[in-house]
Amino acid sequence: SQTIHQWPATLVQPVGSPLSLECTVEGTSNPNLYWYRQAAGRGLQLLFYSVGIGQISSEVPQNLSASRPQDRQFILSSKKLLLSDSGFYLCAWSGRDRPYEQYFGPGTRLTVT
Amino acid sequence: KQEVTQIPAALSVPEGENLVLNCSFTDSAIYNLQWFRQDPGKGLTSLLLIQSSQREQTSGRLNASLDKSSGRSTLYIAASQPGDSATYLCAVRLRSQRGTASKLTFGTGTRLQVTL
């Protein structure tokens, strides 16, 4: 069976510090991968998606970047965090045979102070 | 631009009641619509997925309907239980985005509390 992991589960970082959130998927190959952010009182917003290694599409201009160094690894980064980067970050994957069904990870709660 | 709205934003019902959650979307050219459940501080769990050609889907005590022409979906929960307490999110995937990557547009959710 497939599983998706995210770490860390929670993170408190000062403004201006760097960020690295990691997402890994097990039990499947060549998945589509997604990063979402859920800010307080707002819906989930798609930040990035990837259809393959090194292939990243950005949905909204922002202070964040994403990378996919391996088939089942998706990383969300920032060089300098802003207060507005606080939120709940969710990683998701979908399979090639059923790309319209997404499965979500447990999420990372990021608080920028 | 697709916009997805969910009402009410919050709902509290006594155990055993039947309830309906609403979702509306502005662009009717959807490929499918999906209902998720999110427990506090957790990720999303898929409940039901309705293809654009379908009118409803059922899973246990849950029934989701889709009226594409009016841009509406409802999630019906029968005989609610305290364990149903969570935030329920609907999300739509546009037909124009059909391909290898599935981009979903989410509503802001309905926070449900089922009391004893």
Side-chain angles (χ1 to χ4, degrees):
Chain A
S1 63
Q2 301 88 6
T3 55
I4 178 169
H5 304 279
Q6 285 187 246
W7 64 88
T10 60
L11 190 60
V12 180
Q13 292 282 97
V15 168
S17 64
L19 173 75
S20 180
L21 302 182
E22 189 165 344
C23 170
T24 58
V25 181
E26 297 177 354
T28 187
S29 60
N30 201 22
N32 298 318
L33 296 171
Y34 311 83
W35 276 114
Y36 290 87
R37 176 170 58 202
Q38 188 175 37
R42 300 180 64 181
L44 268 74
Q45 181 183 38
L46 179 63
L47 303 176
F48 301 95
Y49 69 91
S50 171
V51 299
I53 295 175
Q55 301 179 60
I56 308 296
S57 297
S58 175
E59 286 296 292
V60 294
Q62 58 201 305
N63 183 44
L64 303 169
S65 62
S67 62
R68 185 171 177 174
Q70 300 181 42
D71 181 46
R72 291 169 290 175
Q73 184 185 31
F74 206 20
I75 297 173
L76 185 68
S77 304
S78 174
K79 293 181 179 179
K80 290 184 178 181
L81 283 169
L82 306 172
L83 284 175
S84 58
D85 292 325
S86 293
F88 192 55
Y89 288 83
L90 286 161
C91 180
W93 71 274
S94 62
R96 294 290 171 172
D97 54 341
R98 296 169 71 94
Y100 47 81
E101 288 195 42
Q102 293 186 22
Y103 302 92
F104 286 78
T108 294
R109 171 73 60 189
L110 172 66
T111 303
V112 182
T113 60
Chain B
K1 177 185 174 185
Q2 177 74 278
E3 292 184 4
V4 182
T5 304
Q6 289 185 248
I7 54 172
L11 180 64
S12 180
V13 300
E15 182 180 14
E17 270 203 12
N18 304 324
L19 59 102
V20 175
L21 308 181
N22 298 288
C23 172
S24 61
F25 46 94
T26 54
D27 188 340
S28 62
I30 65 169
Y31 186 65
N32 59 42
L33 182 146
Q34 199 164 358
W35 282 93
F36 293 88
R37 169 187 173 134
Q38 185 177 28
D39 292 289
K42 303 293 184 182
L44 275 65
T45 301
S46 179
L47 297 174
L48 291 164
L49 183 147
I50 310 177
Q51 300 291 357
S52 61
S53 58
Q54 298 174 321
R55 293 195 63 84
E56 66 178 278
Q57 282 284 334
T58 298
S59 176
R61 294 182 293 108
L62 305 179
N63 176 277
S65 68
L66 175 64
D67 184 343
K68 201 172 58 171
S69 61
S70 66
R72 293 180 181 178
S73 175
T74 62
L75 179 66
Y76 174 82
I77 302 178
S80 59
Q81 302 171 359
D84 295 330
S85 298
T87 296
Y88 291 80
L89 299 163
C90 73
V92 299
R93 179 169 181 257
L94 286 179
R95 181 169 296 279
S96 59
Q97 297 170 351
R98 186 177 181 181
T100 58
S102 167
K103 295 192 287 185
L104 294 170
T105 301
F106 281 84
T108 53
T110 294
R111 190 171 66 255
L112 172 66
Q113 179 74 37
V114 180
T115 58
L116 291 170

